[in-house]
């Protein structure tokens, strides 16, 4: 056992080392010409997927269910196989649209819908915030084990200390800047360090346990062959059918890509698509290594007769039972690293999503809250504090309860609801905002009803009659027997119904709803971005328009917009950079095309701070066009249509009742339609030319055969004439 103050001192020293590493890396990155991280750093940062639920919980899972614990990781490995198709497309879209989170990604795919972004954010908060509580519980429980203190005392001191340290760390290295698309080199360095610490800690403890308890590998194999240990290495057991295996594999497949923290490190922090190839072999290797000693540690705990109720902490208790406190301390540090890495990155991503898609839209609509738009960074700090504080309180209240112990898989089912709009939306261009909204909402409701409600009933917060009789006596609405299906395990039951309704409503909504031109244009742009290398492909634009638009009022208008969200210094810096890039800083007047480019880049800058959907809405609301500017846009549109099609859609252009900024989307839609038609016609011409060439060859062959027949006929005729009668 260690004294509590000694362990606290070690924790403080460890966190100070992490602070020093983050500061050193950020300072070093600041003086480098490139912010591109090495491929191995990117790959290792993805190992934040393995939390204390893996470090401690996998052993407990194995003790109770044998090899079933591998199902989640098999699903993750299957997902990795497809990363060069799926993850690479998401990274490319991120570079084009400056995506800030998984909520921003989904909303950008579907009309930049703020409602969809808000729904995704609520789902993530519901599923991930309690999962943070699970990590805090792991830290406090492991602290009480190695110090021998009562868990309630650990909550009062250690839990609060860890929560405060994680808050300071998250703000300093995760939410210090307003733009979450900027590289967080310090935070990524800390994640990599913690991923290495937890891996080496588990390997060291695992080697020690095998050597001390079993002697060598032969001793381990002999122990596992004992009748009471055989179930640890069995894949098929009566208690977990193929349905359970399939369900966990599906959950692992979705979690490794769509958990908010995974999306951030794999997509938002990505600096080079080629690093995905490095991650495709390093991540599986890490996965194998971190699970290498799960079964040996489980077998050691059973062999030493440790209580099954404490199986989740066999990693700590086995060295402690063997009298090696130093190994217990190493295991504690590894578990601490596994928990804190997840807490930091999850808090940062949830704070960003909440501020962009819940707080900011409310501030836009409520007048007395509008001044908060200028303090968006401070709002994120407050949200991060609220998330961590509420997670701490929830963990303290629900310590050792059913809900908290089951929260790992419950959270994975919540995140699974994001898979249809993301995965189907990346490959099926006919998926639209109505399908995504209805599908997500249906999946969210079914997830809450079939998993959260039973957990609350188990805690005694709701009447048990809901489980046995259904709400208001409606038996077919029973949470664990929905629509009369009562033979499935609760987890399988929830995944089945939530995904069935999610996918069904997505397909039906997309089938019956016909999206507007703006959404169809954005979908085409999104699909094109996925196939790009992450760069915005510029299109040739007409030149020679008159420069009559005064630059200064447009700069003032843009500055007023940016100051609301970025602050005065950041706004000035962004506008200066945009004008320099457009080479208009010394021009007194702009052309209409330069103005549209200016506003496009303005939206691009704003999207990096408040999300793509919020940026688009802010531009449409705050940027105005004069009558002449709108008329020129329509005239320009008509000119482009005439040039590309040869037929004038002039009436549509002049009668369209749309604003100036929206008009660019209309122009782009028509241009894309016409270019698509031209491409199709070129393909048809190529096919006709091929067929014509084939006909030419056939005609030539026929002519040769006819010539040959004529020669043969002439030869026969001469022979007949020359032969004597």
């Amino acid at each position: 056992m260690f004294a509590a103050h000694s362990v606290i001192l070690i924790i403080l020293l460890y966190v100070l080392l992490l602070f020093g590493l983050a500061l050193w890396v950020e300072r070093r990155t600041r003086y480098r010409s490139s912010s591109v991280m090495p491929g191995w750093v990117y790959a290792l940062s993805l190992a934040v997927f393995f939390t204390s639920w893996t470090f401690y919980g996998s052993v407990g899972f194995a003790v109770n269910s044998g090899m079933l614990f591998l199902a989640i990781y098999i699903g993750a490995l299957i997902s990795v196989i497809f990363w060069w198709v799926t993850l690479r497309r998401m990274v490319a879209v991120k570079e084009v649209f400056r995506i800030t989170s998984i909520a921003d990604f989904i909303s950008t795919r579907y009309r930049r819908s703020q409602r969809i972004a808000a729904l995704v954010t609520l789902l993530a908060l519901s599923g991930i915030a309690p999962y943070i509580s699970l990590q805090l519980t792991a830290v406090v429980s492991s602290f009480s084990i190695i110090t021998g203190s009562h868990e309630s005392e650990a909550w009062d001191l250690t839990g609060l200390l860890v929560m405060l340290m994680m808050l300071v760390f998250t703000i300093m290295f995760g939410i210090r800047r307003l733009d979450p698309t900027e590289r967080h080199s310090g935070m990524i360095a800390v994640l990599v360090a913690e991923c290495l610490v937890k891996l080496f800690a588990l390997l060291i403890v695992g080697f020690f346990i095998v050597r001390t308890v079993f002697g060598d590998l032969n001793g381990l194999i002999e122990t596992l062959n004992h009748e009471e240990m055989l179930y640890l290495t069995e894949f098929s057991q009566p208690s977990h059918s193929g349905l359970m295996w399939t369900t966990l594999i599906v959950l692992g497949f979705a979690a490794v890509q769509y958990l908010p923290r995974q999306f951030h490190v794999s997509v938002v922090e990505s600096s080079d698509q080629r690093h995905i190839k490095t991650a495709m072999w390093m991540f599986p290797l890490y996965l194998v290594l971190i699970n290498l000693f799960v079964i040996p540690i489980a077998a050691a705990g059973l062999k030493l007769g440790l209580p099954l109720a404490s199986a989740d902490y066999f990693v700590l208790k086995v060295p402690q039972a063997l009298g090696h406190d130093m190994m217990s301390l190493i295991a504690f540090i590894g578990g601490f690293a596994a928990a804190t890495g997840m807490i930091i990155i999850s808090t940062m991503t949830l704070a960003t999503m909440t501020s962009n898609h819940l707080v900011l839209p409310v501030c836009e609509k409520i007048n007395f809250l509008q001044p908060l738009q200028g303090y968006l960074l401070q709002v994120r700090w407050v949200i991060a504090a609220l998330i961590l504080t509420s997670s701490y309180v929830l963990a303290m209240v629900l310590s050792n309860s059913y809900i908290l112990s089951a929260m790992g898989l419950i959270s994975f089912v919540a995140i699974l609801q994001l898979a249809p709009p993301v995965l189907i939306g990346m490959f099926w261009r006919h998926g639209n905002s109505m399908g995504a909204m209805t599908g997500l909402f249906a999946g969210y409701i079914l997830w809450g009803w079939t998993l959260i409600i039973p957990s609350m009933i188990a805690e005694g917060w709701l009447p048990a009659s809901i489980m046995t009789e259904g709400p208001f006596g409606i038996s077919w609405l029973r949470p664990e027997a929905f629509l009369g299906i009562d033979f499935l395990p609760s987890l399988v039951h929830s995944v089945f119904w939530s995904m069935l309704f999610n996918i069904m409503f997505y397909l039906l909504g997309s089938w019956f709803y016909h999206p507007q031109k703006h959404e169809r244009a954005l979908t085409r742009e999104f699909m094109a971005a996925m196939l790009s290398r992450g760069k915005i492909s510029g299109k040739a634009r007409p030149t020679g328009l008159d420069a009559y638009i005064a630059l200064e009022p447009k700069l003032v208008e843009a500055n007023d917009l940016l100051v609301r969200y970025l602050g005065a210094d950041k706004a000035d810096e962004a506008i200066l950079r945009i004008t320099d890039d457009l080479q208009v800083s010394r021009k007194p007047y702009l052309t209409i095309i330069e103005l549209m480019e200016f506003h496009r880049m303005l939206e691009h800058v704003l999207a990096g701070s408040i999300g793509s959907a919020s940026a688009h809405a802010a531009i449409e609301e705050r940027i105005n066009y004069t009558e002449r500017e709108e008329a020129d846009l329509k005239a320009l549109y008509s000119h482009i249509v005439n040039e590309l099609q040869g037929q004038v859609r002039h009436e549509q252009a002049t009668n369209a009742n749309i604003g100036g900024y929206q008009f660019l989307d209309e122009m782009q839609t028509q241009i894309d339609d016409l270019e698509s038609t031209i491409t199709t016609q070129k393909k048809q011409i190529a096919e006709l030319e091929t067929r014509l060439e084939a006909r030419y060859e056939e005609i030539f062959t026929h002519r040769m055969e006819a010539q040959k027949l004529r020669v043969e006929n002439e030869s026969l005729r001469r022979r007949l004439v020359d032969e004597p009668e």
Side-chain angles (χ1 to χ4, degrees):
M1 298 290 181
F2 289 89
H5 65 272
S6 299
V7 178
I8 292 175
L9 186 62
I10 292 171
I11 291 175
L12 289 173
L13 180 61
Y14 174 77
V15 173
L16 285 175
L17 289 174
L18 294 181
F19 267 95
L21 174 64
L23 288 171
W24 178 76
V25 170
E26 287 206 343
R27 189 168 299 172
R28 186 168 178 266
T29 304
R30 193 178 302 127
Y31 295 107
R32 289 172 57 188
S33 58
S34 174
S35 62
V36 177
M37 72 178 79
W40 65 269
V41 171
Y42 171 78
L44 281 176
S45 69
L46 300 181
V48 72
F49 176 72
F50 305 101
T51 64
S52 62
W53 194 56
T54 297
F55 194 90
Y56 296 125
S58 289
V59 175
F61 206 154
V63 169
N64 291 304
S65 303
M67 300 298 286
L68 185 61
F69 83 94
L70 283 176
I72 288 286
Y73 306 113
I74 291 173
L77 287 177
I78 294 173
S79 179
V80 171
I81 294 173
F82 297 99
W83 271 1
W84 191 242
V85 177
T86 56
L87 183 55
R88 185 167 65 95
R89 291 183 176 215
M90 289 191 285
V91 171
V93 169
K94 182 268 300 187
E95 292 294 339
V96 174
F97 291 97
R98 297 199 75 187
I99 301 298
T100 60
S101 64
I102 183 70
D104 200 23
F105 181 89
I106 295 175
S107 69
T108 301
R109 167 61 180 86
Y110 301 103
R111 192 174 48 82
R112 292 192 176 96
S113 170
Q114 281 282 21
R115 293 181 180 179
I116 292 177
L119 182 57
V120 173
T121 302
L122 288 173
L123 197 153
L125 284 171
S126 304
I128 304 303
Y131 195 21
I132 296 175
S133 302
L134 186 62
Q135 309 304 309
L136 291 171
T137 300
V139 172
V140 171
S141 298
S142 59
F143 178 87
S144 65
I145 289 172
I146 67 168
T147 59
S149 60
H150 194 273
E151 195 163 309
S152 60
E153 298 175 2
W155 276 114
D156 294 338
L157 181 62
T158 309
L160 185 61
L161 178 64
V162 170
M163 187 267 290
L164 291 176
M165 286 191 299
M166 293 305 98
L167 177 60
V168 173
F169 202 98
T170 302
I171 290 176
M172 282 192 64
F173 299 103
I175 323 178
R176 187 170 61 184
R177 303 182 184 91
L178 187 58
D179 188 349
T181 62
E182 293 182 9
R183 307 279 181 250
H184 298 88
S185 55
M187 175 170 284
I188 294 299
V190 168
L191 289 183
V192 170
E194 297 211 294
C195 288
L196 291 174
V197 168
K198 66 189 176 190
L199 176 61
F200 286 126
L202 199 54
L203 291 177
I204 291 170
V205 173
F207 274 116
F208 166 78
I209 290 174
V210 171
R211 182 69 179 267
T212 307
V213 177
F214 305 107
D216 54 19
L217 188 59
N218 291 329
L220 172 62
I221 295 174
E222 184 179 345
T223 301
L224 291 174
N225 285 331
H226 289 171
E227 185 176 353
E228 67 274 10
M229 299 281 190
L230 283 176
Y231 79 96
L232 289 176
T233 55
E234 290 180 352
F235 286 87
S236 177
Q237 296 181 29
S239 60
H240 44 81
S241 63
L243 284 176
M244 181 60 77
W245 273 93
T246 303
T247 299
L248 293 178
I249 288 172
V250 170
L251 291 177
F253 180 94
V256 79
Q257 292 192 97
Y258 309 132
L259 280 168
R261 68 177 186 274
Q262 290 302 121
F263 185 89
H264 185 86
V265 295
S266 63
V267 177
V268 178
E269 293 288 345
S270 174
S271 56
D272 193 331
Q273 293 182 21
R274 293 171 295 181
H275 291 167
I276 297 173
K277 291 184 176 180
T278 305
M280 289 178 68
W281 68 265
M282 283 192 69
F283 185 85
L285 177 61
Y286 189 100
L287 185 150
V288 171
L289 290 176
I290 203 167
N291 286 289
L292 193 60
F293 290 101
V294 169
I295 296 299
I297 295 173
L302 294 175
K303 185 177 181 178
L304 294 174
L306 296 177
L308 294 181
S310 62
D312 283 343
Y313 294 100
F314 275 5
V315 177
L316 289 168
K317 285 184 171 290
V318 170
Q320 197 174 64
L322 295 172
H324 288 268
D325 290 341
M326 186 55 64
M327 283 297 162
S328 295
L329 181 62
I330 292 174
F332 170 78
I333 294 173
F336 183 83
T340 53
M342 179 271 178
I343 292 172
I344 292 169
I345 195 70
S346 295
T347 303
M348 185 191 76
T349 55
L350 290 179
T352 299
M353 291 165 63
T354 303
S355 63
N356 286 353
H357 307 301
L358 293 181
V359 176
L360 197 58
V362 171
C363 292
E364 289 281 356
K365 295 180 180 180
I366 301 178
N367 291 333
F368 72 88
L369 293 179
Q370 287 186 358
L372 288 178
Q373 294 172 342
Y375 300 94
L376 188 58
L377 186 59
Q378 290 73 20
V379 168
R380 285 183 185 163
W381 296 348
V382 173
I383 293 171
L386 289 175
I387 291 172
L388 280 176
T389 303
S390 60
S391 298
Y392 172 76
V393 172
L394 184 64
M396 190 164 52
V397 171
L398 299 178
S399 180
N400 298 320
S401 70
Y402 167 81
I403 293 181
L404 208 56
S405 62
M407 187 49 66
L409 290 176
I410 291 176
S411 296
F412 278 21
V413 179
I415 296 306
L416 180 63
Q417 306 311 313
L418 305 181
V422 174
L423 202 56
I424 300 177
M426 284 198 300
F427 297 97
W428 189 45
R429 66 173 57 247
H430 297 293
N432 55 49
S433 56
M434 180 60 71
M437 186 69 187
T438 54
L440 278 170
F441 185 76
Y444 188 20
I445 295 299
L446 265 296
W447 165 75
W449 181 251
T450 57
L451 272 186
I452 301 300
I453 295 299
S455 300
M456 298 174 72
I457 293 173
E459 290 296 321
W461 297 348
L462 294 175
S465 60
I466 296 177
M467 295 288 289
T468 57
E469 302 172 9
F472 309 107
I474 306 174
S475 61
W476 56 272
L477 285 180
R478 287 176 293 167
E480 292 188 346
F482 191 69
L483 298 185
I485 304 297
D486 58 358
F487 56 86
L488 295 175
S490 59
L491 182 69
V492 178
H493 179 267
S494 178
V495 169
F496 173 75
W497 283 117
S498 62
M499 290 306 293
L500 176 65
F501 274 76
N502 192 327
I503 296 173
M504 180 176 67
F505 275 83
Y506 179 91
L507 296 177
L508 290 176
S510 298
W511 181 266
F512 289 107
Y513 174 71
H514 184 66
Q516 298 178 350
K517 288 182 178 180
H518 170 66
E519 181 174 348
R520 298 200 304 272
L522 184 59
T523 299
R524 282 192 294 271
E525 189 177 350
F526 189 94
M527 291 294 186
M530 285 194 300
L531 301 177
S532 71
R533 295 188 177 183
K535 303 298 180 183
I536 304 174
S537 56
K539 295 188 177 182
R541 300 182 183 275
T543 56
L545 300 177
D546 293 335
Y548 67 90
I549 304 169
L551 174 62
E552 189 61 31
K554 299 301 180 183
L555 294 180
V556 173
E557 183 182 53
N559 186 72
D560 291 342
L561 174 63
L562 291 183
V563 165
R564 297 172 65 91
Y565 305 98
L566 308 183
D569 293 339
K570 286 280 187 179
D572 292 340
E573 180 184 342
I575 290 176
L576 181 62
R577 185 170 64 252
I578 293 173
T579 54
D580 285 344
D581 290 344
L582 288 176
Q583 298 181 354
V584 297
S585 55
R586 297 184 179 181
K587 292 182 178 180
Y589 297 98
L590 302 176
T591 66
I592 190 64
I593 295 301
E594 288 171 336
L595 179 64
M596 293 309 303
E597 286 294 334
F598 178 75
H599 288 153
R600 278 284 193 184
M601 296 176 72
L602 193 66
E603 179 183 352
H604 192 61
V605 168
L606 202 56
S609 298
I610 65 175
S612 179
S614 297
H616 192 75
I619 289 284
E620 284 190 340
E621 181 180 352
R622 304 287 177 181
I623 298 300
N624 299 311
Y625 292 85
T626 65
E627 292 184 4
R628 180 179 176 183
E629 289 165 2
E630 290 192 5
D632 281 351
L633 283 174
K634 294 178 181 181
L636 178 62
Y637 163 73
S638 297
H639 173 72
I640 293 173
V641 171
N642 276 314
E643 290 293 325
L644 292 178
Q645 193 181 35
Q647 298 179 5
V648 183
R649 296 183 187 178
H650 189 66
E651 289 187 26
Q652 291 181 347
T654 54
N655 296 333
N657 186 23
I658 55 179
Y661 187 75
Q662 290 179 319
F663 203 82
L664 184 64
D665 291 324
E666 176 69 15
M667 291 169 59
Q668 190 63 57
T669 299
Q670 298 296 340
I671 293 171
D672 290 341
D673 287 340
L674 293 171
E675 289 182 345
S676 177
T677 302
I678 292 171
T679 302
T680 303
Q681 290 175 347
K682 286 181 178 179
K683 290 180 180 178
Q684 293 174 349
I685 291 172
E687 291 175 359
L688 289 173
E689 288 177 345
T690 302
R691 292 169 58 186
L692 185 61
E693 187 68 26
R695 292 300 300 271
Y696 281 152
E697 291 181 0
E698 291 177 5
I699 293 171
F700 179 76
T701 302
H702 288 320
R703 285 178 177 174
M704 293 299 295
E705 291 177 354
Q707 184 68 21
K708 183 178 179 181
L709 288 174
R710 281 198 295 271
V711 171
E712 291 177 353
N713 287 337
E714 288 293 333
S715 177
L716 288 173
R717 191 176 293 111
R718 291 195 193 93
R719 288 171 59 187
L720 291 173
V721 171
D722 294 341
E723 286 181 0
E725 295 184 2

